[in-house]
Amino acid sequence: MKDEERFPLEKPDADWRRELDAETYQVLRGHGTERAGTSPLNAEKRAGTFRCAGCGEPLFCATTKYESGSGWPSFYAPMPDAVGTSEDRSHLMQRTEVHCARCGGHLGHVFADGPQPTGERYCINGAALKFEPQKS
Ligand SMILES: [Zn+2]
């Protein structure tokens, strides 16, 4: 994320730190990565919506979720205009970072080895998401 990038929802760091639990804060605001295979959302297969754990913005629809085998919740497409991307050159790799378009919270990375129809793999930290099951 570029320092000069601005988002519709911005809060002082102290507010985020107070509102989010430690792991969610570390992922969303500290660009952290949860340990692979630890998120309960890996196994989530119900219909519904995955929202940003920071601001509640709907980010991914359950219909785009698939089992990538990576150990992180994976999606082949975000909802329209829900996420932004930036180049991430940390850890001696060149990757594309994915963040919430509303609050700028770090979500994960996107890779070009996903399934059709997009060929993209959004590899997202479960700690950055909140799942809302579809009401039947
Ligand atoms: Zn957000």
Side-chain angles (χ1 to χ4, degrees):
M1 194 183 326
K2 293 178 223 65
D3 288 337
E4 68 270 26
E5 196 171 351
R6 306 289 296 179
F7 296 98
L9 178 72
E10 297 196 338
K11 291 184 197 184
D13 187 64
D15 287 8
W16 288 119
R17 202 179 277 274
R18 192 172 57 238
E19 291 170 17
L20 304 175
D21 68 50
E23 187 180 27
T24 302
Y25 176 86
Q26 186 49 36
V27 171
L28 283 175
R29 311 313 307 179
H31 279 225
T33 301
E34 71 197 10
R35 260 189 329 119
T38 57
S39 173
L41 293 183
N42 279 314
E44 181 56 67
K45 294 192 163 52
R46 290 174 289 172
T49 304
F50 292 85
R51 293 177 178 271
C52 175
C55 72
E57 183 81 351
L59 300 177
F60 297 94
C61 176
T63 55
T64 65
K65 188 173 189 285
Y66 73 102
E67 185 47 67
S68 68
S70 67
W72 291 280
S74 302
F75 304 86
Y76 63 74
M79 288 180 170
D81 304 319
V83 306
T85 59
S86 66
E87 290 312 308
D88 176 0
R89 291 188 181 80
S90 62
H91 304 292
L92 301 174
M93 291 182 277
Q94 180 150 358
R95 298 180 294 174
T96 303
E97 184 267 355
V98 180
H99 54 265
C100 173
R102 181 155 174 256
C103 73
H106 171 68
L107 304 172
H109 292 86
V110 58
F111 301 93
D113 57 5
Q116 293 305 316
T118 61
E120 294 185 319
R121 170 170 61 98
Y122 287 80
C123 184
I124 305 298
N125 290 283
L129 300 173
K130 273 202 172 22
F131 180 66
E132 182 182 77
Q134 195 174 63
K135 293 172 190 73
S136 51

